[in-house]
Amino acid sequence: YMAPRPGYGIPLGGISPMAAPGSEVEKLTTLFIGGISPGVTDDWMEKILKTCGTLKSWKRVKDQSGNPKGFGFAEYADADSVLRALRVLGGEGSGDDKKDKGVVLPALEEGANGKKLIVSNHFLINCFLILIPHLNNILSTYIIG
C-alpha cells in the first residue's frame, strides 16, 4: 500500500483495494495482469488464470461506468502457482527470445487487436501502472491547479 504523502490527498477514483494488497503474503501471491484484450470476459480470464494453479481471487479493475478495464489482479494460493503464471502466461524466464513467449489474447471486439498479457509481481511497478490513467487528473488537481 502506498499511502499519500502528507498534504497530498491523491484521489484514486474507485481503484479496487486489490490494487494494494495488505499482508506480506498477499503481496507475494498477487500478480498484476495487464494487456487484456477488448471483449475478453472475467470468466474467460479466470479460466486462463486457473490453468496455472489455485486461484484465490480475480479482481478486474472497472472504470467509473462499471466497464472492465484491460487489467486486474490475480491472487494465488501458493508461490508455485505464481511462478507458473509468470512463466506460462507472462513468458518470464523464457530465455533470450521473450517477445515470442507468453500468452497473446485475441481481441473479441470488432476492430480491436489482440494483446500479449502482461504478468507482473513487482508491487511498486503495479501501483505505478494503476496510477498512469489518473496522472492527468492528479497533476491538474494538485500540481498545476
Side-chain angles (χ1 to χ4, degrees):
Y1 172 71
M2 293 175 50
R5 296 188 328 211
Y8 292 88
I10 300 174
L12 295 179
I15 291 178
S16 163
M18 284 296 295
S23 73
E24 291 301 314
V25 173
E26 283 178 342
K27 289 178 187 176
L28 296 174
T29 58
T30 300
L31 294 174
F32 171 84
I33 309 293
I36 301 171
S37 300
V40 173
T41 65
D42 286 339
D43 288 340
W44 196 27
M45 281 305 305
E46 276 193 44
K47 287 177 185 173
I48 291 169
L49 294 166
K50 285 179 180 178
T51 64
C52 295
T54 306
L55 183 68
K56 285 178 68 175
S57 69
W58 163 243
K59 303 288 184 189
R60 185 143 175 202
V61 177
K62 306 215 182 307
D63 65 18
Q64 292 174 345
S65 301
N67 299 316
K69 293 182 109 17
F71 64 94
F73 296 89
E75 183 185 356
Y76 284 97
D78 55 77
D80 288 338
S81 299
V82 170
L83 292 174
R84 195 172 302 112
L86 287 166
R87 279 194 308 264
V88 174
L89 301 178
E92 196 167 292
S94 298
D96 294 335
D97 197 16
K98 284 180 66 170
K99 68 178 189 247
D100 294 329
K101 306 296 182 190
V103 171
V104 176
L105 294 178
L108 300 177
E109 289 183 0
E110 193 173 323
N113 295 322
K115 296 181 183 179
K116 182 177 186 281
L117 277 183
I118 299 167
V119 181
S120 170
N121 66 341
H122 301 285
F123 182 70
L124 292 177
I125 292 172
N126 297 349
C127 291
F128 180 73
L129 288 171
I130 291 166
L131 289 174
I132 288 174
H134 303 282
L135 283 180
N136 189 34
N137 185 29
I138 292 168
L139 289 174
S140 63
T141 303
Y142 294 97
I143 297 174
I144 299 170

